[in-house]
């Protein structure tokens, strides 16, 4: 295709920054470190949204040269989101609203590419092979890993106080697991999901 690599470069750099920022947040528990975790999340979802929209356009047989305005729209939206985050950083729901908006664009693109896009119409047999051997396996993996990440997160949130403070499962391995293993495991799965989404798009 004729897709420029810019959004993929930004998406991968943002994903790397999320790892660094998250490590800093957990180590320092400071406002600056929190911004270092959450801002790259906004940037990754914005870049992935751009990649996803371009992928849908390309599969539909559109020439991306006619949609160069899309890049500037995404850049503008990202700058606005960054400014709003800096001003209202203490209000978590503001971050979640912006993150959720970008994430919904990504989800719509993924669903379209996996379930509705006609890869054969403009790419022939090659498109059919790409959809069957690349898009669908990645899409299924992303779906199952996302469910696993949500299950781990819910398990951590619901059982943290009973297991760590009340020690309903004893004072041995269970509190250690909840303190030092389950949350990092959630980060690991979420990182894999984000990486696979970038690869699919």
């Amino acid at each position: 295709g004729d897709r420029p690599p810019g959004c993929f470069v930004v998406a991968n750099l943002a994903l790397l920054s999320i790892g660094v920022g998250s490590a800093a947040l957990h180590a320092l528990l400071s406002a600056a470190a929190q911004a270092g975790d959450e801002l790259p999340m906004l940037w990754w979802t914005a870049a992935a949204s751009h990649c996803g929209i371009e992928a849908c356009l390309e599969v539909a047989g559109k020439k991306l040269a006619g949609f160069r305005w899309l890049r500037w729209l995404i850049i503008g939206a990202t700058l606005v989101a960054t400014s709003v985050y800096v001003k209202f950083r203490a209000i978590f729901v503001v971050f979640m609203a912006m993150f959720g908006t970008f994430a919904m664009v990504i989800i719509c693109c993924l669903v379209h590419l996996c379930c509705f896009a006609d890869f054969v119409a403009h790419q022939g047999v090659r498109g059919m092979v790409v959809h069957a051997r690349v898009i669908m396996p990645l899409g299924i993996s992303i779906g199952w890993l996302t469910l696993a990440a949500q299950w781990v997160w819910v398990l951590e949130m619901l059982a943290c106080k009973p297991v760590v403070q009340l020690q309903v499962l004893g004072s041995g391995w269970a509190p250690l697991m909840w303190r030092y293993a389950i949350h990092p495991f959630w980060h690991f799965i979420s990182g894999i999901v984000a990486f696979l989404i970038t690869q699919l798009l």
Side-chain angles (χ1 to χ4, degrees):
D2 57 351
R3 299 174 65 188
C7 61
F8 295 101
V9 173
V10 174
N12 283 301
L13 288 175
L15 184 56
L16 179 63
S17 299
I18 292 172
V20 175
S22 181
L25 172 61
H26 288 77
L28 302 175
L29 296 178
S30 66
Q34 181 178 357
D37 179 38
E38 292 175 347
L39 273 176
M41 291 172 66
L42 285 177
W43 299 337
W44 177 80
T45 51
S49 297
H50 185 196
C51 295
I53 295 171
E54 283 193 343
C56 293
L57 290 171
E58 188 176 42
V59 170
K62 306 295 184 181
K63 293 294 183 181
L64 296 183
F67 293 89
R68 288 179 180 170
W69 55 267
L70 177 64
R71 180 185 311 172
W72 298 108
L73 177 64
I74 296 294
I75 290 174
T78 305
L79 291 175
V80 170
T82 301
S83 301
V84 171
Y85 175 85
V86 171
K87 185 172 180 61
F88 299 102
R89 184 189 56 78
I91 307 175
F92 185 69
V93 69
V94 173
F95 163 76
M96 284 304 301
M98 296 186 295
F99 177 82
T101 301
F102 284 129
M104 284 304 300
V105 174
I106 297 171
I107 291 170
C108 289
C109 291
L110 291 174
V111 171
H112 177 73
L113 291 170
C114 290
C115 302
F116 302 107
D118 188 352
F119 281 77
V120 178
H122 298 284
Q123 300 182 29
V125 176
R126 177 181 177 275
M128 181 175 62
V129 171
V130 168
H131 184 262
R133 298 188 178 181
V134 179
I135 300 298
M136 285 307 297
L138 283 174
I140 292 170
S141 298
I142 289 167
W144 281 111
L145 285 171
T146 300
L147 289 176
Q150 292 300 314
W151 182 81
V152 171
W153 183 81
V154 169
L155 180 65
E156 179 191 9
M157 293 297 103
L158 292 180
C160 184
K161 183 176 179 179
V163 173
V164 176
Q165 297 182 13
L166 303 180
Q167 297 187 348
V168 295
L169 297 179
S171 58
W173 64 271
L176 289 175
M177 286 284 293
W178 255 259
R179 284 181 184 274
Y180 303 114
I182 290 183
H183 190 69
F185 186 56
W186 173 79
H187 276 284
F188 175 75
I189 299 176
S190 300
I192 294 296
V193 168
F195 175 77
L196 291 179
I197 288 174
T198 307
Q199 299 308 302
L200 188 153
L201 299 177

Coordinates of all heavy atoms in Angstrom, one line a residue, residues 25-109:
L25 N 5.9 5.8 37.4 CA 4.8 6.1 38.3 C 4.8 5.2 39.5 O 4.6 5.6 40.6 CB 3.5 5.9 37.5 CG 2.2 6.0 38.3 CD1 2.1 7.3 39.0 CD2 1.0 5.7 37.4
H26 N 5.0 3.9 39.2 CA 5.0 2.9 40.3 C 6.2 3.1 41.3 O 6.1 2.7 42.5 CB 4.9 1.5 39.8 CG 3.6 1.1 39.2 ND1 3.2 1.6 38.0 CD2 2.6 0.4 39.7 CE1 2.0 1.1 37.7 NE2 1.6 0.4 38.7
A27 N 7.3 3.6 40.7 CA 8.5 3.8 41.6 C 8.4 5.1 42.4 O 8.9 5.1 43.5 CB 9.7 3.8 40.7
L28 N 7.9 6.1 41.8 CA 7.9 7.5 42.4 C 6.6 7.9 43.0 O 6.6 8.7 44.0 CB 8.4 8.5 41.4 CG 9.7 8.2 40.7 CD1 10.0 9.3 39.7 CD2 10.8 8.2 41.8
L29 N 5.5 7.4 42.4 CA 4.1 7.8 42.9 C 4.0 9.4 42.9 O 3.5 9.9 43.9 CB 3.8 7.2 44.3 CG 3.7 5.7 44.3 CD1 3.5 5.2 45.7 CD2 2.7 5.2 43.4
S30 N 4.5 10.0 41.9 CA 4.4 11.5 41.8 C 3.5 11.9 40.7 O 3.2 11.1 39.8 CB 5.8 12.1 41.6 OG 6.3 11.7 40.3
A31 N 3.1 13.2 40.7 CA 2.2 13.7 39.7 C 2.9 13.7 38.3 O 2.3 13.4 37.3 CB 1.8 15.1 40.1
A32 N 4.2 14.1 38.3 CA 4.9 14.1 37.1 C 5.0 12.7 36.5 O 4.9 12.5 35.3 CB 6.3 14.7 37.3
A33 N 5.2 11.7 37.3 CA 5.3 10.3 36.9 C 4.0 9.8 36.4 O 3.9 9.1 35.4 CB 5.9 9.4 38.0
Q34 N 2.9 10.3 37.0 CA 1.6 9.9 36.5 C 1.3 10.4 35.1 O 0.8 9.7 34.3 CB 0.5 10.4 37.5 CG -0.9 10.0 37.1 CD -2.0 10.5 38.1 OE1 -1.6 11.1 39.1 NE2 -3.2 10.3 37.8
A35 N 1.7 11.7 34.9 CA 1.6 12.3 33.6 C 2.4 11.5 32.6 O 2.1 11.3 31.4 CB 2.0 13.7 33.6
G36 N 3.6 11.1 33.0 CA 4.5 10.3 32.2 C 3.9 8.9 31.8 O 4.3 8.3 30.8
D37 N 2.9 8.5 32.6 CA 2.2 7.2 32.3 C 1.0 7.5 31.4 O 0.8 6.8 30.4 CB 1.8 6.6 33.6 CG 1.0 5.3 33.4 OD1 1.4 4.5 32.4 OD2 0.1 5.0 34.1
E38 N 0.2 8.5 31.7 CA -1.1 8.7 31.1 C -1.0 9.5 29.8 O -1.7 9.2 28.8 CB -2.0 9.4 32.0 CG -2.4 8.6 33.2 CD -3.2 9.3 34.3 OE1 -3.3 10.6 34.2 OE2 -3.8 8.6 35.2
L39 N -0.1 10.4 29.6 CA 0.1 11.1 28.4 C 0.4 10.2 27.2 O -0.2 10.3 26.1 CB 1.0 12.3 28.5 CG 0.5 13.6 29.0 CD1 1.6 14.6 29.2 CD2 -0.6 14.1 28.1
P40 N 1.4 9.3 27.4 CA 1.8 8.4 26.3 C 0.6 7.5 26.0 O 0.5 7.0 24.8 CB 2.9 7.6 26.8 CG 3.6 8.5 27.8 CD 2.5 9.2 28.5
M41 N -0.3 7.2 26.9 CA -1.5 6.4 26.6 C -2.4 7.2 25.7 O -2.9 6.6 24.7 CB -2.2 6.0 27.9 CG -1.5 5.1 28.8 SD -2.3 4.8 30.4 CE -3.8 4.1 29.9
L42 N -2.5 8.5 25.9 CA -3.3 9.3 25.0 C -2.6 9.3 23.6 O -3.3 9.2 22.5 CB -3.5 10.7 25.5 CG -4.4 10.9 26.6 CD1 -4.4 12.4 27.1 CD2 -5.9 10.6 26.2
W43 N -1.3 9.5 23.6 CA -0.6 9.6 22.3 C -0.7 8.3 21.5 O -0.8 8.3 20.3 CB 0.8 10.0 22.6 CG 1.0 11.3 23.2 CD1 0.1 12.4 23.2 CD2 2.1 11.8 24.0 NE1 0.5 13.4 23.9 CE2 1.7 13.1 24.4 CE3 3.3 11.2 24.4 CZ2 2.6 13.9 25.2 CZ3 4.1 12.0 25.2 CH2 3.8 13.3 25.6
W44 N -0.6 7.1 22.3 CA -0.7 5.9 21.5 C -2.0 5.6 20.9 O -2.2 5.2 19.8 CB -0.3 4.7 22.5 CG -0.5 3.4 21.8 CD1 0.4 2.8 20.9 CD2 -1.6 2.5 21.8 NE1 -0.1 1.6 20.4 CE2 -1.3 1.4 20.9 CE3 -2.8 2.5 22.4 CZ2 -2.2 0.4 20.7 CZ3 -3.7 1.5 22.2 CH2 -3.4 0.4 21.3
T45 N -3.1 5.9 21.7 CA -4.4 5.7 21.2 C -4.7 6.6 20.0 O -5.4 6.3 19.0 CB -5.5 5.9 22.3 OG1 -5.3 7.2 22.9 CG2 -5.5 4.8 23.3
A46 N -4.2 7.9 20.1 CA -4.4 8.8 18.9 C -3.6 8.3 17.7 O -4.2 8.2 16.6 CB -3.8 10.2 19.3
A47 N -2.4 7.8 17.9 CA -1.6 7.3 16.7 C -2.2 6.0 16.2 O -2.3 5.9 14.9 CB -0.2 7.1 17.1
A48 N -2.7 5.2 17.1 CA -3.3 3.9 16.6 C -4.6 4.2 15.9 O -5.0 3.5 15.0 CB -3.5 3.0 17.8
S49 N -5.4 5.2 16.4 CA -6.6 5.6 15.7 C -6.3 6.1 14.2 O -7.0 5.7 13.3 CB -7.3 6.8 16.4 OG -7.7 6.4 17.7
H50 N -5.2 6.8 14.1 CA -4.8 7.3 12.8 C -4.5 6.0 11.9 O -4.9 5.9 10.7 CB -3.6 8.2 12.9 CG -3.2 8.8 11.6 ND1 -1.9 9.4 11.4 CD2 -3.8 8.8 10.4 CE1 -1.8 9.8 10.2 NE2 -2.9 9.5 9.5
C51 N -3.7 5.1 12.4 CA -3.3 3.9 11.7 C -4.6 3.1 11.3 O -4.7 2.6 10.2 CB -2.4 3.0 12.5 SG -0.8 3.8 12.9
G52 N -5.5 3.0 12.2 CA -6.7 2.2 12.0 C -7.6 2.8 10.9 O -8.1 2.1 10.0
I53 N -7.8 4.1 10.9 CA -8.6 4.8 9.9 C -7.9 4.6 8.5 O -8.6 4.4 7.5 CB -8.8 6.3 10.3 CG1 -9.6 6.4 11.6 CG2 -9.5 7.0 9.1 CD1 -9.7 7.8 12.1
E54 N -6.6 4.8 8.5 CA -5.9 4.7 7.2 C -6.0 3.2 6.7 O -6.2 3.0 5.5 CB -4.4 5.1 7.4 CG -4.2 6.6 7.4 CD -2.7 6.9 7.2 OE1 -1.9 6.0 7.4 OE2 -2.4 8.1 6.9
A55 N -5.9 2.3 7.6 CA -6.1 0.9 7.2 C -7.4 0.6 6.6 O -7.6 -0.1 5.5 CB -5.8 -0.1 8.4
C56 N -8.5 1.1 7.2 CA -9.8 0.9 6.7 C -10.0 1.6 5.3 O -10.6 1.0 4.4 CB -10.9 1.5 7.7 SG -11.0 0.6 9.2
L57 N -9.4 2.8 5.2 CA -9.5 3.5 3.9 C -8.8 2.7 2.8 O -9.3 2.6 1.7 CB -8.9 4.9 4.0 CG -9.7 5.9 4.9 CD1 -8.9 7.2 5.1 CD2 -11.1 6.2 4.2
E58 N -7.6 2.2 3.1 CA -6.8 1.5 2.2 C -7.5 0.2 1.7 O -7.5 -0.1 0.5 CB -5.4 1.2 2.7 CG -4.5 0.6 1.7 CD -3.1 0.4 2.2 OE1 -2.9 -0.1 3.4 OE2 -2.1 0.7 1.5
V59 N -8.1 -0.5 2.7 CA -8.8 -1.8 2.3 C -10.0 -1.4 1.4 O -10.3 -2.2 0.5 CB -9.2 -2.5 3.6 CG1 -10.1 -3.6 3.3 CG2 -8.0 -3.0 4.3
A60 N -10.6 -0.3 1.6 CA -11.7 0.1 0.8 C -11.3 0.6 -0.6 O -12.2 1.0 -1.4 CB -12.5 1.2 1.5
G61 N -10.0 0.6 -0.9 CA -9.5 1.0 -2.2 C -9.3 2.5 -2.3 O -9.2 3.0 -3.4
K62 N -9.3 3.3 -1.2 CA -9.2 4.7 -1.3 C -7.7 5.1 -1.4 O -6.8 4.4 -0.8 CB -9.8 5.4 0.0 CG -11.2 5.0 0.2 CD -12.1 5.6 -0.9 CE -13.6 5.3 -0.5 NZ -14.5 5.7 -1.6
K63 N -7.4 6.2 -2.1 CA -6.0 6.7 -2.2 C -5.8 7.6 -1.0 O -6.5 8.6 -0.8 CB -5.8 7.4 -3.5 CG -5.9 6.5 -4.8 CD -4.7 5.6 -4.8 CE -4.7 4.7 -6.0 NZ -3.6 3.7 -6.0
L64 N -4.8 7.3 -0.2 CA -4.6 8.0 1.0 C -4.1 9.4 0.7 O -4.1 10.3 1.6 CB -3.5 7.3 1.9 CG -4.0 5.9 2.4 CD1 -3.0 5.3 3.3 CD2 -5.3 6.0 3.1
A65 N -3.6 9.7 -0.5 CA -3.1 11.0 -0.8 C -4.3 12.0 -0.7 O -4.0 13.2 -0.4 CB -2.5 11.1 -2.2
G66 N -5.5 11.6 -0.9 CA -6.6 12.5 -0.8 C -7.1 12.7 0.7 O -8.1 13.4 0.9
F67 N -6.5 12.0 1.6 CA -6.9 12.1 3.0 C -5.7 12.6 3.9 O -5.7 12.2 5.1 CB -7.4 10.7 3.5 CG -8.6 10.3 2.9 CD1 -8.6 9.5 1.7 CD2 -9.9 10.6 3.4 CE1 -9.8 9.1 1.1 CE2 -11.0 10.1 2.8 CZ -11.0 9.4 1.6
R68 N -4.9 13.4 3.3 CA -3.7 13.9 4.1 C -4.2 14.8 5.2 O -3.5 15.0 6.2 CB -2.8 14.6 3.2 CG -2.0 13.7 2.3 CD -1.0 14.4 1.4 NE -0.3 13.4 0.6 CZ 0.5 13.7 -0.4 NH1 0.7 14.9 -0.8 NH2 1.2 12.7 -1.1
W69 N -5.4 15.4 5.0 CA -6.0 16.2 6.1 C -6.2 15.4 7.4 O -6.2 16.0 8.5 CB -7.3 16.9 5.6 CG -8.3 15.9 5.2 CD1 -8.5 15.4 3.9 CD2 -9.2 15.1 6.0 NE1 -9.5 14.5 3.8 CE2 -10.0 14.3 5.1 CE3 -9.5 15.1 7.3 CZ2 -11.0 13.4 5.5 CZ3 -10.6 14.3 7.8 CH2 -11.3 13.4 6.9
L70 N -6.4 14.1 7.2 CA -6.7 13.3 8.4 C -5.5 13.3 9.4 O -5.7 13.4 10.6 CB -6.9 11.8 7.9 CG -7.1 10.8 9.0 CD1 -8.4 11.1 9.8 CD2 -7.2 9.4 8.4
R71 N -4.3 13.3 8.8 CA -3.1 13.4 9.7 C -3.1 14.7 10.6 O -2.9 14.6 11.8 CB -1.8 13.4 8.8 CG -0.5 13.5 9.6 CD 0.7 13.5 8.6 NE 0.6 12.5 7.6 CZ 1.4 12.5 6.6 NH1 2.3 13.4 6.4 NH2 1.3 11.5 5.7
W72 N -3.4 15.8 9.9 CA -3.5 17.0 10.7 C -4.6 17.1 11.7 O -4.5 17.7 12.7 CB -3.5 18.2 9.7 CG -2.3 18.3 8.8 CD1 -2.2 18.0 7.5 CD2 -1.0 18.6 9.3 NE1 -0.9 18.1 7.1 CE2 -0.1 18.5 8.1 CE3 -0.4 19.0 10.5 CZ2 1.2 18.7 8.2 CZ3 1.0 19.2 10.6 CH2 1.8 19.1 9.4
L73 N -5.7 16.4 11.3 CA -6.9 16.3 12.2 C -6.5 15.6 13.5 O -6.8 16.0 14.6 CB -8.0 15.7 11.6 CG -9.3 15.4 12.5 CD1 -9.9 16.8 12.9 CD2 -10.3 14.6 11.7
I74 N -5.8 14.4 13.3 CA -5.3 13.6 14.4 C -4.3 14.4 15.3 O -4.3 14.4 16.5 CB -4.8 12.3 14.0 CG1 -5.9 11.5 13.3 CG2 -4.2 11.5 15.2 CD1 -7.0 11.0 14.2
I75 N -3.4 15.0 14.6 CA -2.4 15.8 15.3 C -3.0 16.9 16.1 O -2.7 17.1 17.3 CB -1.3 16.4 14.3 CG1 -0.5 15.3 13.7 CG2 -0.4 17.5 15.0 CD1 0.5 15.8 12.6
G76 N -4.0 17.6 15.5 CA -4.7 18.7 16.2 C -5.5 18.1 17.4 O -5.4 18.7 18.5
A77 N -6.2 17.0 17.2 CA -6.9 16.4 18.3 C -6.0 15.9 19.5 O -6.3 16.1 20.7 CB -7.7 15.2 17.8
T78 N -4.8 15.4 19.1 CA -3.8 15.0 20.1 C -3.3 16.2 20.9 O -3.1 16.1 22.1 CB -2.6 14.3 19.4 OG1 -3.1 13.2 18.6 CG2 -1.7 13.7 20.5
L79 N -3.0 17.3 20.2 CA -2.5 18.5 20.9 C -3.6 19.1 21.8 O -3.3 19.5 23.0 CB -2.1 19.6 19.9 CG -0.9 19.3 19.1 CD1 -0.7 20.3 18.0 CD2 0.4 19.2 20.0
V80 N -4.8 19.0 21.4 CA -5.9 19.5 22.2 C -6.1 18.6 23.5 O -6.2 19.1 24.6 CB -7.3 19.5 21.5 CG1 -8.4 19.8 22.4 CG2 -7.2 20.6 20.4
A81 N -6.0 17.3 23.2 CA -6.1 16.3 24.3 C -5.0 16.5 25.3 O -5.2 16.4 26.5 CB -6.1 14.9 23.8
T82 N -3.8 16.7 24.8 CA -2.6 17.0 25.7 C -2.8 18.2 26.5 O -2.6 18.2 27.7 CB -1.3 17.1 24.9 OG1 -1.2 15.9 24.1 CG2 -0.1 17.3 25.8
S83 N -3.3 19.3 25.9 CA -3.5 20.5 26.6 C -4.6 20.4 27.7 O -4.4 20.9 28.8 CB -3.9 21.7 25.6 OG -2.9 21.9 24.7
V84 N -5.7 19.7 27.3 CA -6.8 19.5 28.3 C -6.3 18.6 29.4 O -6.6 18.9 30.6 CB -8.0 18.8 27.6 CG1 -9.0 18.4 28.6 CG2 -8.6 19.8 26.6
Y85 N -5.5 17.6 29.1 CA -5.0 16.8 30.2 C -4.1 17.6 31.2 O -4.2 17.4 32.4 CB -4.1 15.6 29.6 CG -3.5 14.8 30.7 CD1 -4.2 13.7 31.3 CD2 -2.2 15.1 31.1 CE1 -3.6 13.0 32.3 CE2 -1.6 14.3 32.1 CZ -2.3 13.3 32.7 OH -1.7 12.6 33.7
V86 N -3.2 18.4 30.6 CA -2.3 19.2 31.5 C -3.1 20.1 32.4 O -2.8 20.3 33.6 CB -1.3 20.0 30.6 CG1 -0.5 21.0 31.5 CG2 -0.4 19.1 29.9
K87 N -4.2 20.7 31.9 CA -5.0 21.6 32.7 C -5.9 20.9 33.7 O -6.1 21.4 34.8 CB -5.9 22.5 31.7 CG -6.7 23.6 32.5 CD -7.4 24.5 31.5 CE -8.2 25.6 32.2 NZ -7.3 26.4 33.1
F88 N -6.4 19.7 33.3 CA -7.3 19.0 34.2 C -6.8 17.7 34.7 O -7.5 16.7 34.8 CB -8.7 18.9 33.5 CG -9.3 20.1 33.1 CD1 -9.3 20.6 31.8 CD2 -10.0 20.9 34.0 CE1 -9.9 21.7 31.4 CE2 -10.6 22.1 33.6 CZ -10.6 22.5 32.3
R89 N -5.5 17.6 34.9 CA -4.8 16.3 35.2 C -5.4 15.7 36.4 O -5.5 14.5 36.6 CB -3.3 16.5 35.3 CG -2.6 15.2 35.6 CD -1.1 15.5 35.9 NE -1.0 16.3 37.1 CZ -1.2 15.9 38.3 NH1 -1.6 14.7 38.6 NH2 -1.1 16.8 39.3
A90 N -5.8 16.5 37.4 CA -6.3 16.0 38.7 C -7.7 15.3 38.5 O -8.1 14.6 39.4 CB -6.4 17.1 39.7
I91 N -8.4 15.6 37.4 CA -9.7 15.1 37.2 C -9.6 13.8 36.3 O -9.5 14.0 35.1 CB -10.7 16.1 36.6 CG1 -10.7 17.4 37.4 CG2 -12.1 15.5 36.5 CD1 -11.5 18.5 36.8
F92 N -9.6 12.7 36.9 CA -9.3 11.4 36.2 C -10.4 11.2 35.1 O -10.0 10.6 34.0 CB -9.2 10.2 37.1 CG -8.8 9.0 36.5 CD1 -7.5 8.8 36.0 CD2 -9.7 7.9 36.4 CE1 -7.2 7.6 35.4 CE2 -9.4 6.7 35.8 CZ -8.1 6.6 35.3
V93 N -11.6 11.6 35.3 CA -12.7 11.3 34.3 C -12.4 12.0 33.0 O -12.8 11.5 32.0 CB -14.0 11.7 34.9 CG1 -14.2 13.2 35.1 CG2 -15.2 11.1 34.0
V94 N -11.7 13.1 33.1 CA -11.4 13.9 31.9 C -10.4 13.0 31.0 O -10.6 12.9 29.8 CB -10.7 15.2 32.2 CG1 -10.2 15.9 30.9 CG2 -11.8 16.1 32.9
F95 N -9.4 12.5 31.7 CA -8.4 11.6 31.0 C -9.2 10.4 30.4 O -9.0 10.0 29.2 CB -7.3 11.1 31.9 CG -6.6 9.9 31.4 CD1 -5.6 10.1 30.4 CD2 -6.8 8.7 31.9 CE1 -4.9 9.0 29.9 CE2 -6.1 7.6 31.4 CZ -5.2 7.7 30.4
M96 N -10.0 9.8 31.2 CA -10.7 8.6 30.7 C -11.6 8.9 29.5 O -11.8 8.1 28.6 CB -11.5 8.0 31.8 CG -10.7 7.2 32.9 SD -9.7 5.9 32.1 CE -10.9 4.9 31.3
A97 N -12.3 10.1 29.5 CA -13.1 10.5 28.4 C -12.3 10.6 27.1 O -12.8 10.1 26.1 CB -13.9 11.8 28.7
M98 N -11.2 11.2 27.2 CA -10.4 11.4 26.0 C -9.8 10.1 25.5 O -9.8 9.7 24.3 CB -9.3 12.4 26.2 CG -9.8 13.8 26.5 SD -8.5 15.1 26.6 CE -7.6 14.6 28.1
F99 N -9.2 9.3 26.5 CA -8.7 8.0 26.2 C -9.8 7.1 25.6 O -9.5 6.4 24.6 CB -8.1 7.4 27.5 CG -7.6 6.0 27.3 CD1 -6.3 5.8 26.8 CD2 -8.3 4.9 27.6 CE1 -5.8 4.5 26.6 CE2 -7.8 3.6 27.5 CZ -6.5 3.4 26.9
G100 N -10.9 7.1 26.2 CA -12.0 6.3 25.7 C -12.5 6.6 24.3 O -12.9 5.7 23.5
T101 N -12.5 7.9 24.0 CA -12.9 8.3 22.6 C -11.9 7.8 21.6 O -12.3 7.2 20.6 CB -12.9 9.9 22.6 OG1 -13.8 10.4 23.5 CG2 -13.3 10.3 21.2
F102 N -10.6 8.0 21.8 CA -9.6 7.4 20.9 C -9.7 5.9 20.8 O -9.6 5.3 19.8 CB -8.2 7.8 21.3 CG -7.8 9.2 21.0 CD1 -7.3 10.0 22.0 CD2 -8.0 9.7 19.7 CE1 -7.0 11.3 21.7 CE2 -7.7 11.0 19.4 CZ -7.1 11.9 20.4
A103 N -9.9 5.2 22.0 CA -10.0 3.8 22.1 C -11.2 3.3 21.3 O -11.1 2.2 20.6 CB -10.1 3.3 23.5
M104 N -12.3 4.0 21.3 CA -13.5 3.6 20.6 C -13.3 3.6 19.1 O -13.7 2.8 18.3 CB -14.7 4.4 20.9 CG -15.3 4.1 22.3 SD -15.8 2.4 22.4 CE -17.0 2.2 21.1
V105 N -12.5 4.6 18.6 CA -12.1 4.6 17.2 C -11.3 3.4 16.8 O -11.6 2.8 15.8 CB -11.3 5.9 16.9 CG1 -10.8 5.9 15.4 CG2 -12.2 7.2 17.1
I106 N -10.4 3.0 17.7 CA -9.5 1.9 17.4 C -10.4 0.6 17.4 O -10.2 -0.2 16.5 CB -8.4 1.7 18.5 CG1 -7.5 2.9 18.5 CG2 -7.7 0.4 18.4 CD1 -6.5 3.0 19.7
I107 N -11.3 0.5 18.3 CA -12.2 -0.7 18.4 C -13.0 -0.8 17.1 O -13.2 -1.9 16.5 CB -13.0 -0.7 19.7 CG1 -12.2 -0.9 20.9 CG2 -14.1 -1.8 19.6 CD1 -12.9 -0.6 22.2
C108 N -13.6 0.3 16.7 CA -14.4 0.3 15.5 C -13.6 -0.1 14.3 O -14.1 -0.9 13.4 CB -15.0 1.7 15.3 SG -16.3 2.1 16.4
C109 N -12.3 0.4 14.2 CA -11.5 0.0 13.1 C -11.1 -1.5 13.1 O -11.1 -2.2 12.1 CB -10.2 0.8 13.1 SG -10.4 2.6 12.7

